[in-house]
Amino acid sequence: MQLHTIIAVLIHTGYGINLTDYSQCKLTHMGLEFAGETDTTEGGVRCESWLAKSAAALTDSMFPGRSIVDARNYCRNPTQSVDGPWCYSMDPELLYDVCMIPLCRYTECRLTGPGMEYAGRHNRSVTDNKCLKWDKHRKKVLDPVTTKYYEQRKYSKRKFPDETRSSAKNYCRNPDGDTAGPWCFVKTNRNVVKQYCDIAMCQMEPCTTFTKNVTTTSNIYTHYTELNKRTSSFRFGLKLWNSDSLINASASIVLSLFPLPLNEEEMNMFRTSLVVYISNTQSALAVGNADVVDYEPTMNVIHSTAYTYFTISWDRGYVSLRQDNSTKPLFLAEYKYKKHLFGLRKGQFFWYSIHGDHMLWTTDDCDEMDQCTVHTTSEERYERFYPLRKSSNPSFDLKFHVRSTHAACIVFQTTPVHDLPRIRLTLYDTNNSTTISLYQTYETAVELGKITVLNLLNYWQWHEFTVTLFTNTIQVYHQHNTDTQLLLEVKHEFISHLRWFSPASIHSASHWMFYCSPDERAQPPKPFPPECVLNTDEAGYKGHQDVTDKGQMCLPWTHSKDVVNKIDKKTVLSYWNYCRDLHGEKNVCEGILSH
């Protein structure tokens, strides 16, 4: 590296020196995203062209630029070696060798979720314990989950952005590449344990959402958010949590008429939703397309270093995806519009859902002070996480409103990346119990607190709750009219670690509002005709109830061939997914069962 280059990329701050030129440094230990022009090995040997060797196992898709030719003889990591970028050597006695690509350095914040590039001076864990020095061999480190001890030798100096263990001192770092973020060893109760650190993200948008894929046989969308504005566009930002996800990064956005827990095959069948697919290789309207899905190339549009902003626009049967600061859309597609539910509502969509593994999102609608966004969950799948808000040091709180027939759940975690350990709050289960449980494994839970309260939840009325987390204490309050009741208070040392939350529900629809109060628009229908009946045998209900008596969401009537064959299509379309007198029964709908 030439002297003038070093001066250009080393930026001095009050906390040290930043190294921020991504062509000269890597963001993770493996450096899968590295696309610089370094062409010598660690030992100073010149690299050979990737095409010069017999490398049939290597393909274009393994390189960040998607091309072996363009990679020339530059250091890359197509094999995902834990040692980082490497290259074939021109030395006939050395087939290949690693390259000396340093970690980038950010001294005031972490640029990525894992934060391997963090080089600041923060030296306390989330529990406010002082960090221990890195330059020591730890013979006994306690794993708090398994309660077993393990030995931890000194980490290689290459695993630190400081480039030496002594320079890293006792500051929060990430030498083992933990995707959850920077951490350190601390001493607590006479044991040495690993704990994460509170290191702020360099770019933290006002409304941040983290999504992860829940492992199933197919993508099922169970968490929806109301589209507040009745417009024909939706703007959002995307950012990779982990730089090593660059090559395979992808995300999906559902625009839907209903917040139904459906997979993509069912969406195509019911014709209730569109799915916009975005990836670092190609993008398209993947579900709802009127023609054969036509994927357009979108090379590396999602990054880990900054948000990329997109806008989805739709109008009378056409939908497009456009990247900010670009006049040309990434794709333009036609969807089935006329003689369908889409056409009945004149091209409007009322809900959206987002998916993407280890992805950060921000949307324009979530920070509007004059409106409160409604979230709907229908299954116990924790696929969206939100950061808890700090009320005072060291207290965090979560204020929310919910309406549900039963079993509304919220999990709290240290990090959105690792599911365990976690604490689950279950409101009003089938036994009328509200519980707080600690999960160290998926199969077993330790009940920390329990209370039985009748009628704690109601699908037709919002109920207000506040969860306060203060050091090792969690308190759950229920606000009703002007009264505030402390439902539960439990203590556990793990509570001080919690920073993120995710809502869900068990076999029923739950509607949520976080950190705001429902306005008139968000209120459920009032119990006056036509929204109510005098008794269950009364016929002719024409209200807007769209759930069964057990809380399951109703499917649109258009999915039933039996109904469509007996009633004219215009009438069936107008029935939407509301309870009606059909099949010889009164006030019924077909509820969707859990997957």
Side-chain angles (χ1 to χ4, degrees):
M1 189 186 298
Q2 299 298 317
L3 179 60
H4 66 83
T5 305
I6 296 176
I7 295 174
V9 300
L10 297 181
I11 304 171
H12 184 75
T13 71
Y15 297 94
I17 296 177
N18 284 339
L19 175 58
T20 60
D21 186 340
Y22 311 131
S23 68
Q24 305 292 344
C25 61
K26 59 183 180 179
L27 289 164
T28 67
H29 300 316
M30 288 200 296
L32 301 187
E33 87 298 335
F34 180 73
E37 296 183 2
T38 301
D39 59 1
T40 56
T41 69
E42 182 180 37
V45 178
R46 185 171 177 80
C47 296
E48 190 169 15
S49 170
W50 291 99
L51 293 174
K53 299 291 184 181
S54 177
L58 299 181
T59 62
D60 287 337
S61 63
M62 296 178 177
F63 292 81
R66 306 304 193 283
S67 171
I68 294 180
V69 174
D70 290 346
R72 301 176 68 175
N73 69 328
Y74 302 139
C75 297
R76 297 290 185 266
N77 193 1
T79 58
Q80 301 187 19
S81 167
V82 295
D83 294 324
W86 58 277
C87 69
Y88 290 112
S89 164
M90 293 286 286
D91 185 340
E93 297 183 1
L94 182 67
L95 177 61
Y96 63 88
D97 199 3
V98 296
C99 301
M100 189 55 207
I101 310 296
L103 278 168
C104 298
R105 291 199 295 273
Y106 280 76
T107 57
E108 297 177 344
C109 54
R110 57 172 166 159
L111 185 68
T112 66
M116 292 173 231
E117 74 288 345
Y118 175 69
R121 297 181 181 177
H122 190 86
N123 64 354
R124 289 193 173 271
S125 71
V126 292
T127 60
D128 202 36
N129 282 304
K130 190 173 182 178
C131 297
L132 302 176
K133 290 185 177 181
W134 292 105
D135 199 14
K136 187 175 181 180
H137 178 189
R138 304 286 173 188
K139 294 183 178 180
K140 285 184 66 176
V141 179
L142 176 66
D143 184 332
V145 176
T146 63
T147 67
K148 295 180 179 180
Y149 290 95
Y150 63 94
E151 182 179 3
Q152 180 58 63
R153 297 185 177 276
K154 295 179 184 180
Y155 288 100
S156 167
K157 64 181 183 179
R158 295 179 179 175
K159 303 298 183 181
F160 296 88
D162 320 77
E163 297 185 330
T164 66
R165 289 183 296 271
S166 58
S167 297
K169 296 184 178 180
N170 68 330
Y171 303 140
C172 297
R173 295 291 185 265
N174 192 357
D176 66 349
D178 189 328
T179 53
W183 58 276
C184 67
F185 289 120
V186 301
K187 196 166 187 177
T188 175
N189 297 327
R190 298 185 178 181
N191 287 309
V192 174
V193 297
K194 172 183 174 178
Q195 289 187 356
Y196 294 106
C197 300
D198 279 328
I199 307 298
M201 299 288 288
C202 297
Q203 185 183 10
M204 196 68 173
E205 295 297 315
C207 297
T208 298
T209 304
F210 175 93
T211 59
K212 63 195 300 183
N213 290 346
V214 180
T215 304
T216 57
T217 54
S218 61
N219 255 357
I220 303 170
Y221 300 83
T222 64
H223 184 154
Y224 286 81
T225 305
E226 184 183 28
L227 280 168
N228 282 334
K229 293 181 178 179
R230 298 295 184 249
T231 62
S232 58
S233 65
F234 175 61
R235 184 173 179 267
F236 60 95
L238 269 178
K239 183 176 183 285
L240 298 178
W241 176 268
N242 185 0
S243 299
D244 284 340
S245 303
L246 175 75
I247 292 176
N248 297 317
S250 66
S252 298
I253 304 93
V254 176
L255 300 173
S256 185
L257 300 173
F258 311 98
L260 297 172
L262 303 175
N263 59 38
E264 294 181 1
E265 182 180 351
E266 291 167 331
M267 290 178 185
N268 250 334
M269 179 173 62
F270 296 149
R271 297 176 181 175
T272 59
S273 312
L274 304 181
V275 178
V276 174
Y277 174 79
I278 307 172
S279 81
N280 274 343
T281 54
Q282 57 187 7
S283 301
L285 178 62
V287 172
N289 206 307
D291 302 308
V292 176
V293 178
D294 185 15
Y295 287 92
E296 297 289 344
T298 49
M299 190 66 65
N300 295 346
V301 292
I302 313 172
H303 311 280
S304 64
T305 54
Y307 279 93
T308 305
Y309 289 88
F310 303 89
T311 298
I312 302 174
S313 303
W314 58 91
D315 182 39
R316 296 188 177 275
Y318 288 90
V319 61
S320 66
L321 175 68
R322 179 177 55 83
Q323 188 175 338
D324 275 18
N325 303 320
S326 175
T327 56
K328 182 181 178 181
L330 297 176
F331 72 75
L332 174 65
E334 183 180 4
Y335 65 93
K336 298 174 183 178
Y337 173 75
K338 295 181 179 180
K339 297 181 181 180
H340 294 290
L341 289 170
F342 292 138
L344 182 67
R345 296 301 168 124
K346 298 180 180 179
Q348 287 185 333
F349 294 99
F350 305 108
W351 302 88
Y352 73 86
S353 185
I354 52 179
H355 264 214
D357 202 23
H358 291 65
M359 198 77 68
L360 289 170
W361 302 71
T362 182
T363 57
D364 283 354
D365 68 322
C366 67
D367 197 36
E368 297 175 1
M369 299 304 294
D370 60 332
Q371 294 192 45
C372 204
T373 303
V374 179
H375 297 259
T376 296
T377 58
S378 52
E379 293 186 15
E380 192 177 11
R381 291 165 56 91
Y382 301 102
E383 53 195 39
R384 277 204 232 176
F385 285 81
Y386 306 90
L388 287 165
R389 294 186 181 179
K390 206 165 194 175
S391 55
S392 62
N393 194 21
S395 176
F396 293 82
D397 64 26
L398 170 60
K399 297 180 180 180
F400 64 94
H401 289 72
V402 62
R403 57 187 187 92
S404 180
T405 54
H406 65 272
C409 307
I410 296 178
V411 295
F412 299 89
Q413 298 178 185
T414 305
T415 163
V417 174
H418 300 318
D419 290 338
L420 299 171
R422 66 169 39 154
I423 283 181
R424 186 180 80 167
L425 167 65
T426 304
L427 297 169
Y428 197 54
D429 63 18
T430 51
N431 297 317
N432 301 322
S433 298
T434 293
T435 58
I436 297 177
S437 303
L438 171 65
Y439 284 79
Q440 298 275 26
T441 69
Y442 290 109
E443 294 78 20
T444 58
V446 178
E447 191 175 279
L448 303 179
K450 180 178 180 179
I451 188 173
T452 300
V453 180
L454 296 177
N455 303 317
L456 185 63
L457 294 182
N458 188 319
Y459 189 80
W460 302 108
Q461 181 181 2
W462 289 103
H463 282 255
E464 183 180 0
F465 298 87
T466 299
V467 179
T468 300
L469 302 97
F470 181 78
T471 59
N472 66 342
T473 303
I474 185 169
Q475 298 171 324
V476 182
Y477 294 91
H478 178 219
Q479 290 84 21
H480 183 64
N481 297 327
T482 58
D483 297 329
T484 299
Q485 176 188 4
L486 176 61
L487 291 178
L488 280 173
E489 179 179 276
V490 300
K491 295 180 182 294
H492 193 279
E493 61 182 357
F494 178 60
I495 292 171
S496 61
H497 296 240
L498 304 175
R499 296 294 184 270
W500 295 76
F501 74 93
S502 179
S505 44
I506 302 176
H507 307 318
S508 64
S510 298
H511 303 290
W512 309 79
M513 290 186 169
F514 300 106
Y515 296 112
C516 59
S517 300
D519 56 17
E520 187 61 31
R521 174 195 54 81
Q523 296 297 332
K526 291 182 170 56
F528 300 111
E531 298 296 346
C532 63
V533 292
L534 297 177
N535 57 72
T536 55
D537 293 327
E538 182 177 341
Y541 175 75
K542 295 183 180 179
H544 295 82
Q545 179 166 335
D546 56 3
V547 294
T548 68
D549 57 352
K550 295 182 180 180
Q552 297 165 346
M553 292 185 181
C554 295
L555 290 168
W557 288 106
T558 51
H559 91 283
S560 173
K561 292 182 179 180
D562 183 48
V563 172
V564 172
N565 291 335
K566 292 181 179 179
I567 305 174
D568 66 278
K569 189 168 185 177
K570 185 176 181 180
T571 301
V572 175
L573 288 172
S574 69
Y575 283 173
W576 206 236
N577 70 328
Y578 304 135
C579 295
R580 289 293 183 264
D581 297 347
L582 289 168
H583 302 305
E585 299 180 77
K586 300 179 180 67
N587 310 326
V588 297
C589 79
E590 186 170 340
I592 184 166
L593 300 177
S594 299
H595 289 80

